[in-house]
Structure formats: structure tokens, C-alpha cells
Amino acid sequence: MTSTSPSSTHSDPSANSFQVDLRGLVDLLSHHLYSSPRVYVRELLQNAVDAVTARQALDPEAEIRIRLSASAGRVTIEDSGIGLTAAEAHSLLATIGRSSKRGGDHGLETTRREFLGQFGIGLLACFVVARQIRVITRSARDPQAAPVEWLATDDGSYTVRELPDEARRELGTTVILQARPGAEEWTVPAKVEQLARDYGSLLPYDITFTEGEGQGDERGEGGEGGEGGEPRSITDRPAVWDRPFPTPAARRVALAGHCAQLFGFTPLDSIDLDLPVAGVRGVAYVLPEPTSPAHRAGHRVHLKGMLLTDHADNLLPDWAFFVRAVIDTDTLRPTASRENLYDDETLSAVREALGARVRAWLAELAASEPERLAAFLSVHHLGVKSLARHDAELLGLMLPWLPFETSEGSMSLQEFTAAHSEIHFTRTVEEFRQIAPIAAAHGLGVINAGYTYDADLLALLPTVRPDLKVAELDAGAVTERLDPVPTSAELALAPFLSTARTRLEAQGCDVVLRAFQPVSVPALYLDDRQARQERDRTAALDSADSLWSGILGALRGSAPRARLVLNHNNPLIRRISALPDEALTGTAVESLYGQALLMSQRPLRPADSTLLNRAFLGLLEWATHSTDSPEGQK
């Protein structure tokens, strides 16, 4: 930039021009670098905190003071920090990318890590809301130097002049912003105070806010300004997760209140995120409502006490979708806008360590507090199931505790496998609901895998529990568990069974006789994947040309078929089996087949629909004929 020499500014307040198009810079800052004009409050607080930090490094006994005030169209912040000389004001305040926080600049040897600001954009960012920025400062490094006024406007010019000693007797800096037209809403006192609390509640120094004029009159000569209200502290330290509480229950209540105030919900639980080696402290709150694993939660991150962002979506692993975290860190790097975290190796290591803390919480619940774990899984089981399919560690940790619908009721796999070393599952809800009461009555362990992700997880179960056998439910396994009918009874019913098998041969369905519970179920339709594949192969055979017919026909063998299992304990089956009319017996068997098929809620094939219509009309015809007959009228 062009400017007069520092010495000339002692007596000549001539205008100096920035070497950039300031209006273009403001547009860049407000529309591309920063997400909102609200960040100007952060810049003011940041500069004041860094100035005080530098002052403490120079003089540990120095008084610490940061005061923020606002009135309509004007915002003032005053600090007792390191201050600037006229030369430093020229060099630092108007140079893009230059920062007094770099070690060695102007005799300041304090390590850069102690400061919040690291990109040197500085007060120029305040032009997103200001038409004029005025800085009145007195150097603590050179207390004999005169106070300095640095005055810049959004037309791209600034002036630097030395003021009389009376203008500012105290060491430090006062910054006064005059709002630009259209930006007055950002300088309303209530808005400024709210933004200051949001950004600065965890800052390491006491910061007060006053509604009304701050220090410095319109000419910048120092002294008290207009009347204001009582100063209110905007800091709230220590952070709630670092405060002592009389009991763990009291701490949980305090954390729940903090979450409700911060995020707007009462958490199911809270998880401490304490990584001293990584300079990270905070807490993760467990969401009380289900959320999609695809939704990337925004976490709240403070950098050395200053709010960096409340939308950090790269702080925790993707699988930890069920928590919202708030942390304070002094090691993670911010992006250039200081509105998110820079995704580097350090963040990757911290993310992994924080994920380990969440896993440790889950493991602790599983080991010692199953009721709390059950409460968590009742809300988030679907999301956990989704991610466990692709996360071996999460799978091993959570799978035993995930709830499933089983033939013995809803329970965890841990409970279910305690009674069943061989697990069968159905791929559809309808199939499960048909078989569940019968399986329960006969000690067959069946899980409903018709819900999202369940079949995939059950297929992975042997990788976690090699002692378990998991298989899709097949007709043979169910039939074997049902009680056989005495040989004499089955021989006596051989004609009936022959008629039934003949009638259902076209449907690709076999008929077997068993005795099972509950008695109220007359017939059970059992189907499995192999039987369905056989029907598909037969359908392909019927529509294939001669060459393919020969090939597919050669594959026909003793492939499994669907089964209609008739319940010998059911009175209706006994009456049907005793019918003397073979045609009526066949119609009744078709009706039983149709009813069992409908109960299974399977899609009907055209042949099944035809059979149902035929059986229904046949029974109607039989009923009307029997009513019209002389015997039916008796």
C-alpha cells in the first residue's frame, strides 16, 4: 500500500490509500469468505483477547479489561491490551495478511499458538458492517509513545495521527465502528450482546457488555461516552463440563440443561469428550429422536474459548450420527474464514479418538447399564443397524444388543441366542407372522428379517459369534419340528392325502400331514427360496424353446417344493378328510390352500387366482345344491 512515512503522520493526517479495492474486498469477505456479517463481533473480540494475551506476556501483573458496548449504529470495544504505536498502526492495521501475532513482529516473542487470530485479515473484516472503523490506541511496549488514532473508511482510505497525551491515558486500544447504511441491524445492542455471548462465552478473560455509548467521544479524544446501562458479563466460565458438582446426578441435570439451551433438545445421555493430549475438552449429547445416518450433524467447536463454528460436520466419525458435540480445543486448525475445522492429519487423529470415546460409552452401557443401552437402541437402532453392516467394530459391539422381532417376542440377539444356537430367519414380515406362533409352540427359533438391514446383519452374525448357525427358514426345517401323525392314522388318510396332492400338483405344492399348535390353524403354507427358484425354473421351462427346454428339463430333480401342511389336530381338517365325495374333498383342499396362501400375504400368481375363484365357486355350488336337496331340507 502507499502511505506517508510514520514520522510524517505525527503532524500530517493526510489520507493514505490501501493497495486493494476495499469495496471489492468487503464483497469478497461478506459473500465468499464469511458465511454472515455476524462474524464482525468475533473479529472484535478476537483482536481484544489477543491484545490482552500479548499484554500479559509482557506484564503478567497488568490489569485485564475488555469492555464491549453498542448503541444504534455504533459498536465500541475497549481493552487493556498491548496497544500500538503509530508505526505499528501503519504496518499492521491496514496490511492484508499481516499479523502482529506472529512471533518476532515488533518485539513480540509470544508464541503464535497462544493467539486466536492467525490469518492477519484483522479489522478489515469489520467493513462487512461498518462504513468507518476508528482505532484509538496506546502502546504498552512503548508507554512513552503518544496515543494514536487510526481512522479508516470503506472508500479505501485511512489516516493515522498522534493524539495529545490526555486523549488516552490508559494503555490499550478502543475500536469504534460506525454502521454502513443497510447494516444497522447488526449494531442493535441486543443483537451485539447475543452475538458476543454466542462467540465469547468460553473466552479466558472476563468480558462485559454495556448498552449505550462506550469510551471515546466523537473526536476520539478519550474520556467517558454517553450514559449506558449496568455492565453485564458475557463470559460463562468454566465450561459446564469442567465445573464441579456435588453428585453425578446433579452433573447430568446440568449438562441436560446446557444441551437444551444450546441445541434445543433434552439429551438421552451425555458423553464426556476429554482428550488432554490433543487439547480437546467437551461433551457429546445423545439425540432423543431418531435421525438418519446420512444426516451429518453440526457440532459446536470453540477454539481457545472462541466459538469457531456450530456446523462442524467433520469432528466425529460418520457412524456417530446420533450425537451432537460441543468442544473447546487449542490444537485443531481453523480454515481461513475461521468458521470450520481444517481437515488434516491432526483432525483425523482427534476424530478417531473422539469416536473411541463414544464407542467406550456404548461398551460401558452394554456391560453395566443394559437399561440405558436399551433406551438408546429403542430410539437409534435403525441407524445403528445401517452402519453396523459396514463397520466391523461397531457390528461386534452392538449386534448382540440390537433388538429384533423373534418368535419369542421382541428381544436382543444376546437374549435370543441364549436359548437358540440355531437361528432361522424369514425374509418377509408376512412369512414371519404366519410362522411365528407355530415356531414358538414347537421351540423353533425364528427371527423376522423382513425389516430394513436385518437380513444383512443376521448374515454377518456368524462373524461375531462363530458358535451360532444362521440359516434362512425353509419348509423342511419347519416340517421336521412339527409332530408327526401316527402311522396308522396317516395310512387311514392316504386316499384323502392322494386327492389333495393331485389337486395341488399344478400349483407346484406338496401336501403333508402333521399335528401342531395352535389347533385353530387348519393349514400352513410353507415356502422357501429353493422352492421359489424351482417354480421360476418350471415357468421358464414352459416358455422356453425346445433346446432350452431340454437343458432346463435335465436340471429337474428332487428340488424342494412349497408345502401345504395340514393340521391333524384341527377339527375342520378331520371333517374334510372324512368327506365321502372326492370332488368336494378336492374343492375343500383347494380352499384350504387358498386360505393359507392369503394368510401368508404372498403375491398371487395367475394360477393361484384361478384356483381361488374355482374353489370359492365350487363351495358355493355345493352349498346351494345341498340346501336344495331333500336331505338338505330335513
Side-chain angles (χ1 to χ4, degrees):
M1 66 181 66
T2 60
S3 68
T4 59
S5 66
S7 61
S8 67
T9 62
H10 295 182
S11 56
D12 180 13
S14 58
N16 302 267
S17 297
F18 291 99
Q19 285 187 330
V20 296
D21 177 0
L22 189 57
R23 293 186 185 277
L25 175 63
V26 170
D27 179 72
L28 175 67
L29 293 176
S30 59
H31 293 99
H32 300 284
L33 184 60
Y34 296 128
S35 61
S36 166
R38 69 198 301 267
V39 297
Y40 88 92
V41 174
R42 183 194 66 195
E43 295 294 336
L44 292 176
L45 292 174
Q46 175 179 287
N47 285 342
V49 168
D50 286 342
V52 167
T53 301
R55 175 76 181 276
Q56 276 207 314
L58 183 70
D59 179 9
E61 302 302 320
E63 177 191 2
I64 300 302
R65 182 181 68 257
I66 301 177
R67 299 169 180 165
L68 179 66
S69 63
S71 60
R74 180 172 174 173
V75 177
T76 302
I77 188 166
E78 182 236 345
D79 66 68
S80 59
I82 196 71
L84 298 172
T85 64
E88 291 168 353
H90 267 291
S91 176
L92 299 174
L93 293 180
T95 305
I96 303 300
R98 189 80 177 273
S99 175
S100 62
K101 298 141 196 171
R102 295 192 175 93
D105 280 357
H106 303 281
L108 182 60
E109 301 296 337
T110 306
T111 177
R112 184 180 179 187
R113 179 171 170 169
E114 295 178 9
F115 297 100
L116 298 172
Q118 298 194 8
F119 292 90
I121 294 174
L123 285 175
L124 292 182
C126 294
F127 276 120
V128 295
V129 299
R131 64 175 178 81
Q132 176 182 282
I133 300 174
R134 189 181 192 192
V135 178
I136 306 163
T137 182
R138 189 161 195 167
S139 175
R141 284 193 296 268
D142 186 3
Q144 302 306 313
V148 175
E149 177 198 67
W150 180 90
L151 182 65
T153 59
D154 62 358
D155 65 359
S157 65
Y158 73 94
T159 61
V160 177
R161 64 169 176 155
E162 290 186 348
L163 302 173
D165 285 349
E166 309 82 54
R168 185 180 182 94
R169 297 182 179 87
E170 296 178 335
L171 304 177
T173 301
T174 298
V175 179
I176 304 167
L177 304 185
Q178 293 290 343
R180 57 168 44 208
E184 291 87 356
E185 63 176 298
W186 295 103
T187 62
V188 173
K191 184 72 169 179
V192 175
E193 182 177 9
Q194 180 261 321
L195 291 175
R197 291 183 184 278
D198 201 31
Y199 280 115
S201 62
L202 298 185
L203 287 172
Y205 307 113
D206 288 328
I207 302 172
T208 61
F209 175 82
T210 305
E211 185 171 345
E213 300 292 344
Q215 283 204 319
D217 60 20
E218 285 301 317
R219 295 162 303 159
E221 308 301 332
E224 293 300 327
E227 295 296 326
E230 286 295 319
R232 299 185 289 271
S233 176
I234 67 167
T235 50
D236 187 21
R237 297 176 294 109
V240 64
W241 53 82
D242 285 329
R243 295 174 191 170
F245 293 95
T247 64
R251 186 174 189 271
R252 282 197 295 269
V253 170
L255 288 174
H258 176 252
C259 178
Q261 182 181 22
L262 204 60
F263 294 124
F265 64 85
T266 300
L268 282 177
D269 208 342
S270 56
I271 308 167
D272 282 318
L273 303 177
D274 183 11
L275 302 175
V277 175
V280 172
R281 286 282 295 151
V283 62
Y285 294 115
V286 181
L287 294 167
E289 301 291 339
T291 186
S292 169
H295 174 69
R296 305 196 70 178
H299 306 293
R300 189 175 176 92
V301 178
H302 295 259
L303 180 62
K304 304 181 186 74
M306 180 73 77
L307 177 66
L308 185 71
T309 179
D310 53 9
H311 298 292
D313 58 4
N314 55 357
L315 179 65
L316 290 174
D318 289 341
W319 60 260
F321 63 92
F322 48 82
V323 299
R324 291 283 299 277
V326 52
I327 68 162
D328 189 20
T329 176
D330 59 11
T331 58
L332 299 178
R333 290 174 57 195
T335 58
S337 65
R338 294 192 294 283
E339 293 191 289
N340 212 331
L341 293 172
Y342 187 76
D343 212 334
D344 56 8
E345 293 181 358
T346 302
L347 178 58
S348 179
V350 167
R351 182 164 51 237
E352 184 176 344
L354 293 178
R357 290 301 170 95
V358 178
R359 278 195 175 97
W361 170 78
L362 290 170
E364 181 181 347
L365 291 188
S368 59
E369 300 185 74
E371 292 183 358
R372 288 174 65 195
L373 179 65
F376 164 73
L377 289 176
S378 68
V379 175
H380 295 293
H381 64 91
L382 188 62
V384 172
K385 285 180 177 181
S386 170
L387 289 175
R389 297 174 302 150
H390 310 294
D391 187 319
E393 190 173 353
L394 187 65
L395 175 71
L397 180 63
M398 284 285 93
L399 185 54
W401 303 99
L402 289 172
F404 287 85
E405 185 178 5
T406 78
S407 52
E408 297 178 8
S410 180
M411 61 180 62
S412 70
L413 284 181
Q414 187 85 350
E415 297 172 297
F416 189 70
T417 56
H420 301 281
S421 60
E422 185 175 358
I423 296 175
H424 299 273
F425 66 90
T426 64
R427 289 189 177 272
T428 66
V429 175
E430 295 75 21
E431 184 180 3
F432 172 80
R433 290 179 178 168
Q434 184 193 26
I435 198 64
I438 297 167
H442 293 271
L444 185 65
V446 180
I447 291 180
N448 181 5
Y451 296 118
T452 307
Y453 312 128
D454 285 3
D456 293 340
L457 288 173
L458 289 173
L460 293 171
L461 181 57
T463 65
V464 178
R465 292 280 305 275
D467 57 308
L468 296 177
K469 180 181 179 182
V470 180
E472 184 175 351
L473 183 70
D474 63 78
V478 177
T479 306
E480 289 172 7
R481 287 298 185 103
L482 304 181
D483 296 334
V485 176
T487 304
S488 58
E490 189 160 7
L491 287 174
L493 295 176
F496 163 68
L497 293 175
S498 176
T499 299
R501 288 165 183 153
T502 300
R503 277 299 185 106
L504 297 182
E505 176 65 29
Q507 312 305 124
C509 182
D510 199 2
V511 178
V512 295
L513 187 65
R514 291 289 186 274
F516 58 87
Q517 300 296 325
V519 174
S520 59
V521 177
L524 176 66
Y525 181 80
L526 296 176
D527 199 6
D528 54 35
R529 186 189 303 179
Q530 289 181 312
R532 290 190 290 271
Q533 289 175 343
E534 174 62 17
R535 286 200 301 273
D536 292 342
R537 191 200 61 77
T538 301
L541 177 64
D542 294 340
S543 61
D545 57 29
S546 57
L547 174 60
W548 281 108
S549 294
I551 296 174
L552 294 173
L555 297 176
R556 183 191 298 270
S558 57
R561 306 174 72 193
R563 297 184 185 187
L564 181 67
V565 184
L566 303 178
N567 188 0
H568 189 252
N569 292 337
N570 182 268
L572 178 62
I573 295 298
R574 296 196 177 195
R575 289 198 297 269
I576 292 175
S577 65
L579 289 172
D581 187 337
E582 183 176 338
L584 180 57
T585 299
T587 299
V589 168
E590 289 181 339
S591 298
L592 288 171
Y593 170 84
Q595 186 265 350
L597 197 61
L598 291 173
M599 289 296 294
S600 71
Q601 299 187 36
R602 303 171 192 275
L604 296 179
R605 298 170 296 165
D608 295 329
S609 299
T610 301
L611 178 144
L612 281 171
N613 288 330
R614 183 172 67 243
F616 177 71
L617 293 174
L619 288 176
L620 280 178
E621 185 176 354
W622 177 83
T624 54
H625 283 181
S626 63
T627 301
D628 293 339
S629 67
E631 291 186 1
Q633 295 175 353
K634 291 181 181 180

